[in-house]
Amino acid sequence: MNKSSLFTTGEFAKVCNTTKDTLFHYDDVGVLTPEVTHENGYRYYTLKQIYLFNLIRTLKDCGASLQEIKHFMSIDSPSEIKDFIGERKLALKEQIATLNQALGFLEQTDRSTDYLSEDKSYYYETPRIVEREEKYLISTAAAKDIRLNSHQTAEILRDHFSYCDSTLKINKFPVGRIIKKNTLFSGELFHSYVFSITPVKYDDERAMVKPAGRYVHLFHHGNYDTIGYSYQKILDFISKNHLSIIGDAYELEANNFMMEKDRQNQIIGIMILVN
């Protein structure tokens, strides 16, 4: 083998953006041994081993241990290689899904911070008509026609969070609530569903669509116990402007506990589809 085609340990470490100590460790473990070792102890690597090093690095990033990687390097069967790579691909996809969930939560919190830094107090508790695009939702059914206590609500949220996290691998925040059209005039604001907004439409039994169209929109400002007054303002506005309710009511918090510790300053957006 021509010496000009070989890399010293230092040269190989530089090309691979790693350290000589890492290469020594990989040699000791047996996952990446220098192609050539001279009698004087000098070690030399080849160009093809750059690919092997990056494969090792990628497998480590996917959660494989050096012992697992060593086993992988000894596999001769194409089917076994494919199985091993398949497992690592799945692990990596799960990591990506987890990171995307975390990113989505941070982005949503960041948007809330931007939103609340603007002075929008001039239309708190003031109904207005807005046009909204279609939104895709993942929902979890709540108990119908009964008022839930805190423990019952927590159990429904636990189920919803688990489904978003484990089954769909999506960001669950912000979490909204749906009040069906036929209960809006009942005098009791029963939540039929809790939901999370998704960027794409899922082919899933819990998938729902919030229709595009005209909505009467109001920001409720205050404790949730007083939200009935805000609904009455919306209903009065709808009646005064000769509108008809043609869809459900959607509630979504515009702030959260990090933005506002005092629940008396809670801000909840309410939307009802009208024509």
Side-chain angles (χ1 to χ4, degrees), residues 76-130:
D76 294 325
S77 167
S79 62
E80 288 188 54
I81 292 173
K82 189 172 182 65
D83 288 344
F84 185 89
I85 294 297
E87 292 174 2
R88 303 279 53 96
K89 284 170 62 179
L90 180 61
L92 187 58
K93 288 178 180 178
E94 290 177 349
Q95 289 181 42
I96 291 171
T98 299
L99 291 173
N100 280 336
Q101 286 178 268
L103 180 61
F105 177 70
L106 293 177
E107 287 178 339
Q108 185 269 325
T109 302
D110 192 32
R111 286 193 296 270
S112 295
T113 306
D114 290 340
Y115 180 87
L116 294 171
S117 65
E118 303 174 20
D119 182 13
K120 290 184 170 60
S121 58
Y122 62 90
Y123 66 65
Y124 286 168
E125 304 183 5
T126 302
R128 58 200 182 99
I129 298 175
V130 296

Side-chain angles (χ1 to χ4, degrees), residues 30 41 73 76 149 232 234 259:
M73 295 295 191
D76 294 325
N149 62 37
Q232 190 58 55
I234 293 176
M259 303 297 108

Side-chain angles (χ1 to χ4, degrees), residues 220-230:
H220 170 73
H221 186 201
N223 191 291
Y224 192 83
D225 292 340
T226 63
I227 201 169
Y229 296 107
S230 293

Side-chain angles (χ1 to χ4, degrees), residues 136-201:
Y136 303 124
L137 314 176
I138 287 295
S139 65
T140 298
K144 296 180 179 179
D145 301 331
I146 61 171
R147 184 176 294 279
L148 302 177
N149 62 37
S150 296
H151 290 282
Q152 291 169 323
T153 300
E155 184 61 24
I156 290 169
L157 288 175
R158 183 202 64 77
D159 178 30
H160 183 72
F161 291 170
S162 176
Y163 197 79
C164 291
D165 289 339
S166 303
T167 304
L168 296 181
K169 308 291 185 183
I170 60 173
N171 175 40
K172 55 187 173 285
F173 293 106
V175 177
R177 298 166 290 271
I178 299 175
I179 297 176
K180 300 298 289 182
K181 172 189 171 184
N182 58 6
T183 66
L184 283 172
F185 302 100
S186 68
E188 289 283 356
L189 300 175
F190 299 121
H191 297 127
S192 296
Y193 298 92
V194 296
F195 69 86
S196 298
I197 300 172
T198 63
V200 297
K201 187 175 183 179

Side-chain angles (χ1 to χ4, degrees), residues 249-267:
Y250 298 85
E251 299 175 1
L252 198 64
E253 291 192 7
N255 61 351
N256 56 42
F257 73 94
M258 288 183 290
M259 303 297 108
E260 185 53 70
K261 306 296 190 296
D262 185 357
R263 302 311 285 174
Q264 297 300 324
N265 288 325
Q266 194 171 8
I267 301 171

